[in-house]
Amino acid sequence: MSEATPKDGWKQSGVRVIKAYSLDGNTPQTPGMNRAAAINFARVGAQKIWAGTVDVQPNAKTGAHHHGHLESVIYVVRGKARMRWGERLEFTAEADPGDFIYVPPYVPHQEINASPDEPLECVLVRSDQEPVVVNLDIEPAEAVEEVLWVDPNHPA
C-alpha cells in the first residue's frame, strides 16, 4: 500500500455516494428555508468543505443572515432564485436553473423564491465544516438596485 492508502484500503475510505433520501436536516436553519447536510465531517469525514441542499417554498423568502467567515456557493437546480444582499438588503440579482451564486464571507443576504408556484431547490457548498448561520434582524430597504455580474476575465 502507498503512503496515501488508508489502513483499511479504499473500500470504506474512498468515494462515498450519499443518497438523496439520506440527507441530514439536523443543521442550523434560517426561517423560510430548509437546509440538509450531505457532506460534512460527521457523515463522511470531509475536512474542508460542507455540502447539502436548501429548499425555499413558492413565494417564500428567508430571513436575513450571513455565514461568518465561510464562503458559500449555491447552484440552482429548480426554480428561480432572487438574492438580496447588503447592509439593508438593498442589492438584488436573480438566478435560474444551472446558474451558480457566490456569497462571500460576512455578507448579509436573503434567498427569495421568485416563483409563485414552483419550489426553489438548490445545492449548497461551503468552504468549511463549521455550521455558521448568523440570523440577522434587518429592516430591508424598500428600493433595491439590480446588480448584473460582469466576468472580469470575459467582460464582453
Side-chain angles (χ1 to χ4, degrees):
M1 277 198 236
S2 75
E3 198 173 301
T5 305
K7 291 179 183 174
D8 67 354
W10 294 116
K11 183 177 180 180
Q12 298 301 323
S13 300
V15 172
R16 314 299 201 300
V17 175
I18 292 71
K19 294 294 191 176
Y21 59 77
S22 71
L23 301 184
D24 182 4
N26 187 24
T27 64
Q29 300 292 330
T30 297
M33 68 177 9
N34 180 39
R35 289 187 193 97
I39 308 295
N40 61 20
F41 180 77
R43 303 194 83 214
V44 301
Q47 300 290 313
K48 298 177 183 177
I49 61 170
W50 181 100
T53 60
V54 62
D55 298 325
V56 181
Q57 293 305 308
N59 266 343
K61 61 184 175 185
T62 71
H65 60 283
H66 71 74
H67 301 287
H69 68 281
L70 304 178
E71 293 177 288
S72 298
V73 172
I74 301 167
Y75 175 77
V76 180
V77 175
R78 178 178 172 203
K80 182 176 225 34
R82 179 177 299 130
M83 297 293 290
R84 286 186 65 176
W85 70 94
E87 292 294 322
R88 295 196 53 227
L89 306 175
E90 65 270 26
F91 305 111
T92 188
E94 291 191 354
D96 296 307
D99 292 346
F100 287 84
I101 300 165
Y102 171 68
V103 182
Y106 298 101
V107 172
H109 63 281
Q110 173 185 55
E111 291 91 345
I112 300 168
N113 183 341
S115 171
D117 52 15
E118 183 178 33
L120 173 60
E121 298 174 359
C122 302
V123 172
L124 171 62
V125 178
R126 292 212 190 103
S127 62
D128 196 343
Q129 288 294 304
E130 287 186 68
V132 177
V133 176
V134 179
N135 292 315
L136 303 169
D137 187 16
I138 293 177
E139 183 65 36
E142 288 187 31
V144 295
E145 178 183 344
E146 185 175 10
V147 177
L148 300 176
W149 181 68
V150 177
D151 182 343
N153 296 313
H154 307 92

